[in-house]
Amino acid sequence: MVYLLKFGASWILPPGIFILLMLALCVKLLKFSKKLSITVLVVTLIFYLLCTSLVAERFMGWLEEMHSPPAQVETSGADVIVLLGGGAISQVPDVDGVGALCASPANRLLTAVRLQKLLNVPIIVSGGQVYSDSGAEAEISARILKTLGVPEDKILTETKSVNTSQNARYTAALMREKNFKKPLLVTSAFHMNRAMLNFSLHRFKPIAYPTDFTVAHNSTFHYTKLRPQAEALLLNVTVMQELLRTCVTEIFGV
């Protein structure tokens, strides 16, 4: 009964309500133009499928499975952990100061801390202040790392980058300056393929350590996965953005 209520509620909230309205428009258009009605129907069905977790889990799962962490990270030979940013919020209260990380970079940071404890190597935190009202990510991350027990002399910050291309460029320069040879790259699983590509353009081949997974890779079918959800649409848009940006990087090198 609980699942049935969830399924029904999804059709009276966005994006479900918009799909129903578009279907109603298709019926109305039949009186004027069958061709136009079919066109709107096809667009509506595509939009509906992109709003289902059934499709989102397939697309996102495919993207997240492109790279896997090493089975024995202790023997990987990594001499530095590179932690990529993904968004921060300024002027909000936190346990040990002001400014907080968004959900994805917070998950990335938690993984990086655990790896640092395991490997006892430095962490390079890469990420600047993207917008005037967003947080200075590397600085916020460094503060949190210290609170979580990472020694200050094991934390390096790269504070100029505002996108993945710049993450790779400025971090590569810092790694050469500090004579690091084998970075362990920590970022969200959906972001890992593009991040690896950007680092390869600067003649580094990091060890991939994806984290912040968004879907289960052994998921099973349930009818509720056919309900329209904004979260599913966001996952599909994220996959499309990653593919588009990867293509741009491969073609233009940026």
Side-chain angles (χ1 to χ4, degrees):
M1 185 63 179
V2 173
Y3 297 119
L4 190 60
L5 289 173
K6 287 183 177 181
F7 189 85
S10 65
W11 291 99
I12 60 176
L13 297 170
I17 188 64
F18 297 128
I19 294 170
L20 292 179
L21 290 173
M22 290 170 73
L23 290 174
L25 177 62
C26 291
V27 175
K28 288 287 186 181
L29 287 174
L30 276 174
K31 298 178 181 179
F32 306 100
S33 171
K34 184 177 180 181
K35 185 177 181 180
L36 181 58
S37 178
I38 293 174
T39 301
V40 174
L41 178 61
V42 170
V43 172
T44 301
L45 290 176
I46 293 173
F47 179 66
Y48 162 66
L49 289 173
L50 290 175
C51 291
T52 64
S53 59
L54 181 68
V55 173
E57 287 180 0
R58 299 299 186 277
F59 284 169
M60 182 58 80
W62 165 75
L63 184 60
E64 291 187 336
E65 289 176 345
M66 285 186 173
H67 295 274
S68 301
Q72 296 292 330
V73 69
E74 301 95 328
T75 59
S76 65
D79 56 2
V80 66
I81 297 166
V82 174
L83 171 61
L84 299 189
I89 307 169
S90 65
Q91 304 305 314
V92 293
D94 197 12
V95 174
D96 54 0
V98 176
L101 297 178
C102 297
S104 285
N107 286 337
R108 300 174 190 181
L109 182 139
L110 182 59
T111 298
V113 170
R114 294 160 67 193
L115 289 170
Q116 197 281 326
K117 299 293 185 184
L118 189 64
L119 301 175
N120 193 32
V121 297
I123 297 178
I124 296 177
V125 187
S126 178
Q129 185 167 346
V130 181
Y131 303 107
S132 59
D133 59 348
S134 61
E137 188 162 0
E139 296 174 8
I140 292 172
S141 297
R143 188 195 77 222
I144 297 172
L145 289 172
K146 293 173 190 175
T147 300
L148 294 175
V150 179
E152 188 170 355
D153 62 355
K154 294 287 187 181
I155 303 170
L156 300 170
T157 57
E158 180 285 295
T159 60
K160 296 186 292 184
S161 61
V162 296
N163 59 23
T164 305
S165 175
Q166 291 183 7
N167 284 150
R169 185 198 315 164
Y170 296 135
T171 302
L174 181 57
M175 286 191 290
R176 289 192 178 92
E177 178 187 329
K178 300 295 183 180
N179 202 32
F180 294 123
K181 303 294 186 183
K182 201 169 185 182
L184 183 68
L185 183 60
V186 177
T187 190
S188 298
F190 72 83
H191 182 237
M192 182 58 76
N193 191 58
R194 183 159 61 95
M196 291 287 284
L197 174 60
N198 274 277
F199 274 88
S200 71
L201 295 175
H202 295 277
R203 302 189 301 280
F204 274 98
K205 189 176 181 181
I207 304 163
Y209 206 100
T211 186
D212 185 43
F213 290 88
T214 55
V215 299
H217 295 167
N218 58 345
S219 61
T220 57
F221 175 77
H222 192 277
Y223 75 88
T224 55
K225 293 183 179 182
L226 293 173
R227 64 191 179 108
Q229 297 175 275
E231 295 87 347
L233 180 60
L234 177 60
L235 287 182
N236 279 315
V237 170
T238 298
V239 173
M240 289 186 281
Q241 285 179 338
E242 285 298 312
L243 293 177
L244 177 60
R245 290 169 178 170
T246 299
C247 288
V248 171
T249 300
E250 289 177 336
I251 297 171
F252 300 105
V254 292

